[in-house]
Amino acid sequence: MKIKISAIIFLSLICIMTNGQADSNTFGFVAYWSQGDSYDFKVTKIQKRWKEGVLIKNDSTQVITNFKVQQETDSLYQINWSFKNNLANTYDLPDTVLESLSDYAIMEVLYNTTELGEYIGITNWEEIRDIMQGLFKIVFTAVAEQQGEDPDEMLKMAEPVLAIYNSKQGVEQLVFPELQSFHFPFGLEYSHDSYFEYEDLIPNMFGGDPIRGDAVLFVDSVDFENQYCILKQQMKLNPEDTKAVILQLFKQMGISDKEFKKFSKTAVFEINTDNTYEYYYNPGVPIKIETLRETMIDIDKKKGKRVDKLVIELLP
């Protein structure tokens, strides 16, 4: 039976239904952290793009991050997520530009969770927004000059995308998606054979209605003795909702009415995700998280494909 409710309501109902029903075949995802707890993770982000079946982009970045419990109260945890920013290594930039980026070398993200470990939000997102805007301005200007383009024109064209980073939601969803992946399983109770079907609602970064997604979440395996488990989540975004969001972006970027009408009739977008969460559910520490998003695009009979992969691995 398919439960068509938002993710928040869905998760809340599961918590209510499972309350007081724990047995030897169930396990709860609850954070058992203490102030000062610290873990190091390797975070890898990979992006690949194909055009007409030919691989045209294969980029990857890797950072070592530190997860530290700054504060613990009866109702929340405050977390410090820190790492060395390697945006400078993403582009082939001259030394003078790299020197300008040195001011942004270390980034600290402060965010809160509930007492169960459920993600609440970033508290210093405005500071991060300002850092990202400074970084983008430096990098865009350098790239434009390398390509013989007008930096102001390039920045103007990118305004609809860059504007996303002006909001708390944009910073959380696009800059640090790993945080929500890290805390995704928390706050629920599972059994060894749990399998849920539900309709999720993905925020629209450009404003407007959210994107619907048909999702499943299930327990792949569990070791009760070692308090270890693997969860899997798969989702297919609604093609019409996805198309509407992309066309909305095209409109904001100043695409002509003629091209807009043509894309509205012929464009096809398909986005699927496949995520794996490997955890010690007690004390609530991920061993390895792997998220995979595959995007298929067909615009004016020109086909493209994009794959985004995120891997979070616990370091010894």
Side-chain angles (χ1 to χ4, degrees):
M1 180 179 180
K2 191 170 186 180
I3 307 173
K4 292 210 169 185
I5 46 181
S6 72
I8 295 176
I9 297 176
F10 165 76
L11 297 180
S12 300
L13 286 174
I14 294 297
C15 290
I16 294 171
M17 289 187 293
T18 58
N19 185 33
Q21 297 179 10
D23 57 39
S24 60
N25 289 321
T26 64
F27 60 99
F29 252 96
V30 177
Y32 294 104
W33 306 324
S34 299
Q35 186 169 326
D37 283 356
S38 178
Y39 301 94
D40 290 326
F41 296 92
K42 180 171 66 176
V43 178
T44 305
K45 296 180 181 181
I46 300 170
Q47 184 185 110
K48 295 182 179 182
R49 290 175 58 192
W50 290 261
K51 185 176 181 180
E52 297 293 340
V54 178
L55 182 66
I56 60 172
K57 183 176 183 179
N58 186 5
D59 292 342
S60 66
T61 61
Q62 191 174 93
V63 296
I64 304 302
T65 64
N66 176 256
F67 170 97
K68 185 175 182 179
V69 180
Q70 294 252 110
Q71 184 179 1
E72 175 191 5
T73 71
D74 291 338
S75 59
L76 63 81
Y77 292 98
Q78 184 182 76
I79 309 298
N80 182 308
W81 179 264
S82 60
F83 59 94
K84 184 176 181 180
N85 193 347
N86 68 349
L87 182 62
N89 298 326
T90 306
Y91 301 93
D92 183 18
L93 300 172
D95 291 340
T96 54
V97 177
L98 294 180
E99 290 178 9
S100 300
L101 294 175
S102 62
D103 294 337
Y104 306 98
I106 304 297
M107 187 172 290
E108 291 190 348
V109 182
L110 301 178
Y111 69 96
N112 293 336
T113 76
T114 68
E115 72 277 15
L116 300 178
E118 301 161 297
Y119 181 81
I120 296 177
I122 296 175
T123 57
N124 67 332
W125 72 269
E126 292 174 314
E127 176 186 344
I128 295 170
R129 174 201 62 195
D130 295 341
I131 292 174
M132 296 303 298
Q133 287 178 344
L135 283 169
F136 281 131
K137 186 173 182 179
I138 293 172
V139 172
F140 267 73
T141 300
V143 171
E145 290 175 349
Q146 285 181 335
Q147 298 177 354
E149 303 286 343
D150 184 341
D152 292 334
E153 286 296 320
M154 180 174 283
L155 284 169
K156 184 177 181 180
M157 184 175 293
E159 278 180 359
V161 176
L162 297 180
I164 298 173
Y165 297 93
N166 289 331
S167 69
K168 180 174 182 287
Q169 188 179 69
V171 169
E172 292 178 332
Q173 295 284 341
L174 297 180
V175 186
F176 302 108
E178 60 267 31
L179 297 183
Q180 297 194 43
S181 295
F182 191 107
H183 295 274
F184 172 78
F186 286 90
L188 297 180
E189 187 172 71
Y190 302 84
S191 68
H192 68 286
D193 59 354
S194 289
Y195 186 96
F196 309 113
E197 292 186 61
Y198 61 101
E199 184 179 78
D200 207 344
L201 295 175
I202 310 302
N204 180 349
M205 294 293 99
F206 305 101
D209 296 332
I211 305 171
R212 293 167 294 172
D214 292 326
V216 296
L217 171 65
F218 59 93
V219 176
D220 184 69
S221 64
V222 59
D223 180 343
F224 290 105
E225 182 177 353
N226 294 304
Q227 299 181 312
Y228 159 92
C229 72
I230 297 178
L231 305 179
K232 288 186 177 290
Q233 182 207 31
Q234 297 164 346
M235 180 164 57
K236 179 181 178 64
L237 295 188
N238 183 286
E240 290 303 314
D241 288 0
T242 305
K243 179 178 177 179
V245 171
I246 299 300
L247 292 175
Q248 179 184 356
L249 172 61
F250 285 169
K251 196 73 172 178
Q252 292 177 1
M253 294 179 68
I255 191 172
S256 68
D257 290 339
K258 182 178 179 180
E259 288 182 307
F260 183 80
K261 289 179 181 179
K262 180 173 66 174
F263 291 160
S264 297
K265 293 180 180 179
T266 63
V268 177
F269 301 94
E270 182 177 324
I271 302 179
N272 299 312
T273 64
D274 191 349
N275 306 328
T276 302
Y277 305 87
E278 183 180 354
Y279 271 78
Y280 288 118
Y281 58 81
N282 185 356
V285 177
I287 303 167
K288 184 177 182 180
I289 299 172
E290 187 171 306
T291 69
L292 182 68
R293 183 175 71 242
E294 184 176 272
T295 304
M296 307 295 291
I297 303 172
D298 189 342
I299 300 178
D300 196 24
K301 298 183 180 179
K302 296 178 181 178
K303 296 183 179 180
K305 177 182 175 181
R306 171 170 165 166
V307 171
D308 295 275
K309 187 176 182 179
L310 167 69
V311 182
I312 304 173
E313 298 174 275
L314 177 66
L315 295 178

